[in-house]
């Protein structure tokens, strides 16, 4: 992997700048996609009771979903770098629809695992190309576009607990089938986005001389930087797995709240994460992505260390702060990696979204095993140290060149 490698022909971006209609459409589609996928972890308390699952089985369910979602993403991204797949976006949503239908009718743990795998496959197909569309429509403002794209996903993740609290909990597992209508809406929107994407691909292609935003780094330094970024993704998503998969159980066990109340607390955390995502990309465009990565991952450490020792009100407050600060890292990390290895948007997007799901899946499985043996409270105290890995951010090279004096057309030429 080398920053000097940039041979793939890429679609040129016109002088119109940001294509807001497409960016909003792909962000909304991300919202739909992640809303539907977040239903699975949000209904864990319901499934745990109905199927008499232990924490280890809950972790395995998350692992199957997230590992399935992670393994295919880099492969889809590598393939689409050479042969873009405009209508794979709608196809990915179709897999999610099938998974939801299976989840609503599952009558065994094996069927739950198969349904989770289908939802994971949908995610692995959707994310690489949708991230490319966001970058293609950015007009050169890559951080802003990545934040707008990702805030749709984070906002969708926040909707899962609300759907679980007000639809699945009162009406049961079979009510999940209604969510397939949302998937159909997503497929229609993504069909339109795919057609716009196909038309852009049909236009003449070019690789601009201004494509690189920085001097190419040596191959060894590129590899080392990617290793550091992967370690940072590990710390972020392993910790997030402890929240998204087990936060409701922690609140129910430690504070005695109801299932619906626990879902609302989880919604607060995920909503704060969605808001934080909005800021990470644009701030990175202005002050540099390394600084955003550094602050967002390591800066959350005091709050994660304090969380397991607080009462219910402060637990809610700290979870909101943690979600807000920690989530700002992902847009900055993805755009940073795309600039590190230019011309490989699909592969980088697939790799990092895949790592996010994969690390989350492994984290959920590990946290489940630890919780079964040592209790959920001890597990949260142990996971609170994970953001210390953020210290590695000090070794990231500065690769973003100043943009002062660069014209709009020059910025647009770097949009891919």
């Amino acid at each position: 992997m080398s920053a000097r490698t940039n041979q793939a022909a890429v679609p040129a971006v016109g002088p119109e700048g940001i294509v807001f209609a497409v960016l909003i459409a792909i962000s909304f589609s991300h919202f739909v996609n992640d809303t539907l996928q977040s239903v699975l972890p949000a209904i864990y308390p319901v499934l745990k009771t109905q199927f008499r699952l232990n924490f280890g089985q809950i972790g395995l369910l998350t692992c199957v979903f997230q590992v399935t979602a992670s393994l295919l993403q880099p492969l889809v991204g590598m393939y689409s770098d050479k042969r873009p797949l405009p209508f794979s976006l709608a196809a990915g949503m179709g897999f999610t629809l099938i998974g939801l239908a299976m989840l609503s009718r599952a009558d065994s743990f094996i069927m739950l695992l198969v349904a989770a795998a289908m939802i994971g496959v949908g995610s692995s197909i959707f994310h690489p190309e949708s991230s490319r569309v966001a970058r293609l429509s950015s007009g050169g403002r890559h951080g802003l576009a990545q934040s707008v794209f990702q805030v749709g996903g984070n906002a969708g993740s926040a909707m899962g607990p609300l759907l679980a609290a007000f639809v699945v909990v009162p009406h049961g597992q079979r009510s999940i089938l209604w969510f397939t209508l949302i998937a159909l809406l997503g497929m229609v929107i993504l069909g339109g986005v795919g057609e716009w994407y196909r038309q852009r691909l049909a236009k003449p292609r070019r690789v601009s001389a201004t494509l690189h935003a920085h001097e190419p780094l040596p191959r060894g330094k590129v590899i080392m930087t990617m290793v550091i970024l992967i370690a940072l993704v590990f710390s972020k998503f392993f910790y997030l797995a402890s929240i998204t998969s087990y936060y409701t159980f922690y609140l129910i066990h430690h504070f005695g709240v109801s299932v619906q109340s626990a879902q609302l607390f989880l919604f607060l955390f995920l909503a704060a994460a969605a808001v934080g995502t909005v800021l990470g990309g644009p701030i990175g465009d202005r002050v540099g992505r390394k600084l955003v990565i550094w602050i967002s991952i390591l800066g959350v450490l005091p709050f994660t260390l304090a969380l397991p020792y607080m009462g219910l009100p402060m637990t809610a407050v700290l979870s909101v702060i943690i979600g807000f600060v920690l989530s700002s890292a992902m847009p900055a990390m993805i755009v940073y990696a795309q600039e590190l290895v230019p011309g490989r948007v699909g592969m980088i997007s697939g790799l990092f979204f895949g790592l996010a799901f994969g690390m989350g899946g492994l984290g959920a499985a590990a946290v489940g095993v630890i919780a079964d043996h040592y209790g959920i409270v001890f597990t949260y105290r142990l996971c609170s140290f994970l953001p210390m890995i953020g210290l590695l951010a000090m070794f990231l090279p500065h690769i973003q060149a100043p943009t002062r004096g660069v014209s709009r057309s020059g910025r647009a030429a770097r949009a891919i």
Side-chain angles (χ1 to χ4, degrees), residues 116-158:
M118 292 296 293
I119 296 173
V121 169
S123 177
S124 69
I125 296 174
F126 172 81
H127 280 102
E129 282 293 72
S130 59
S131 184
R132 187 198 304 278
V133 170
R135 189 172 177 90
L136 178 60
S137 63
S138 70
R141 300 175 67 181
H142 304 151
L144 173 63
Q146 192 62 225
S147 280
V148 172
F149 169 65
Q150 287 193 33
V151 76
N154 284 359
S157 296

Side-chain angles (χ1 to χ4, degrees), residues 5-135:
T5 303
N6 188 28
Q7 302 300 321
V10 292
V13 176
E16 70 270 19
I18 298 178
V19 187
F20 281 106
V22 173
L23 185 57
I24 292 172
I26 201 66
S27 179
F28 180 75
S29 299
H30 201 186
F31 169 81
V32 170
N33 183 79
D34 285 25
T35 294
L36 299 176
Q37 294 182 355
S38 67
V39 168
L40 177 61
I43 64 171
Y44 282 166
V46 175
L47 298 179
K48 188 175 189 294
T49 300
Q50 182 172 338
F51 292 90
R52 298 181 181 179
L53 307 178
N54 57 36
F55 284 123
Q57 289 174 308
I58 292 292
L60 180 59
L61 195 58
T62 301
C63 185
V64 167
F65 161 57
Q66 294 191 325
V67 170
T68 305
S70 68
L71 291 180
L72 292 179
Q73 285 201 41
L75 299 178
V76 172
M78 291 174 66
Y79 182 86
S80 63
D81 280 335
K82 298 179 179 179
R83 295 181 178 85
L85 305 168
F87 296 104
S88 65
L89 299 168
M93 190 70 71
F95 276 95
T96 299
L97 186 154
I98 294 171
L100 288 170
M102 295 179 65
L103 185 62
S104 71
R105 293 295 187 267
D107 56 4
S108 67
F109 182 60
I110 296 298
M111 283 296 295
L112 290 177
L113 292 176
V114 174
M118 292 296 293
I119 296 173
V121 169
S123 177
S124 69
I125 296 174
F126 172 81
H127 280 102
E129 282 293 72
S130 59
S131 184
R132 187 198 304 278
V133 170
R135 189 172 177 90

Side-chain angles (χ1 to χ4, degrees), residues 31-326:
F31 169 81
V32 170
N33 183 79
D34 285 25
T35 294
L36 299 176
Q37 294 182 355
S38 67
V39 168
L40 177 61
I43 64 171
Y44 282 166
V46 175
L47 298 179
K48 188 175 189 294
T49 300
Q50 182 172 338
F51 292 90
R52 298 181 181 179
L53 307 178
N54 57 36
F55 284 123
Q57 289 174 308
I58 292 292
L60 180 59
L61 195 58
T62 301
C63 185
V64 167
F65 161 57
Q66 294 191 325
V67 170
T68 305
S70 68
L71 291 180
L72 292 179
Q73 285 201 41
L75 299 178
V76 172
M78 291 174 66
Y79 182 86
S80 63
D81 280 335
K82 298 179 179 179
R83 295 181 178 85
L85 305 168
F87 296 104
S88 65
L89 299 168
M93 190 70 71
F95 276 95
T96 299
L97 186 154
I98 294 171
L100 288 170
M102 295 179 65
L103 185 62
S104 71
R105 293 295 187 267
D107 56 4
S108 67
F109 182 60
I110 296 298
M111 283 296 295
L112 290 177
L113 292 176
V114 174
M118 292 296 293
I119 296 173
V121 169
S123 177
S124 69
I125 296 174
F126 172 81
H127 280 102
E129 282 293 72
S130 59
S131 184
R132 187 198 304 278
V133 170
R135 189 172 177 90
L136 178 60
S137 63
S138 70
R141 300 175 67 181
H142 304 151
L144 173 63
Q146 192 62 225
S147 280
V148 172
F149 169 65
Q150 287 193 33
V151 76
N154 284 359
S157 296
M159 286 297 296
L162 293 183
L163 293 176
F166 297 110
V167 179
V168 182
V169 170
H171 299 291
Q173 176 189 354
R174 291 184 179 270
S175 64
I176 297 173
L177 189 63
W178 288 103
F179 303 152
T180 58
L181 297 176
I182 304 176
L184 284 174
L185 172 63
M187 292 179 70
V188 171
I189 294 173
L190 288 172
V193 172
E195 177 59 25
W196 175 86
Y197 186 15
R198 185 191 66 78
Q199 291 176 5
R200 294 302 293 263
L201 292 174
K203 293 183 178 181
R205 303 183 180 196
R206 72 172 183 263
V207 176
S208 171
T210 60
L211 183 64
H212 294 285
H214 63 93
E215 289 297 320
L217 299 176
R219 179 183 177 87
K221 194 163 188 177
V222 170
I223 293 174
M224 182 57 65
T225 302
M226 292 295 292
V227 170
I228 293 173
L229 289 173
I230 289 171
L232 296 178
V233 170
F234 167 82
S235 70
K236 171 182 167 64
F237 284 95
F238 201 105
Y239 182 80
L240 285 177
S242 71
I243 298 288
T244 54
S245 295
Y246 301 100
Y247 189 47
T248 53
F249 297 115
Y250 173 77
L251 295 173
I252 293 169
H253 169 78
H254 198 51
F255 299 110
V257 303
S258 67
V259 173
Q260 282 190 321
S261 296
Q263 298 287 4
L264 293 177
F265 279 107
L266 179 58
F267 166 75
L268 288 177
F269 167 80
L270 295 173
V275 174
T277 303
V278 177
L279 300 179
I283 293 176
D285 283 340
R286 291 182 175 272
V287 304
R289 317 205 194 280
K290 178 180 176 179
L291 181 61
V292 173
I293 295 170
W294 171 267
I295 293 176
S296 63
I297 295 183
L298 186 60
V300 80
L301 181 61
F303 306 108
T304 63
L305 291 175
L307 180 68
Y309 303 95
M310 296 294 160
L312 182 59
M314 280 304 299
T315 295
V317 171
L318 289 179
S319 69
V320 168
I321 295 173
I322 290 169
F324 179 84
V325 176
L326 194 59

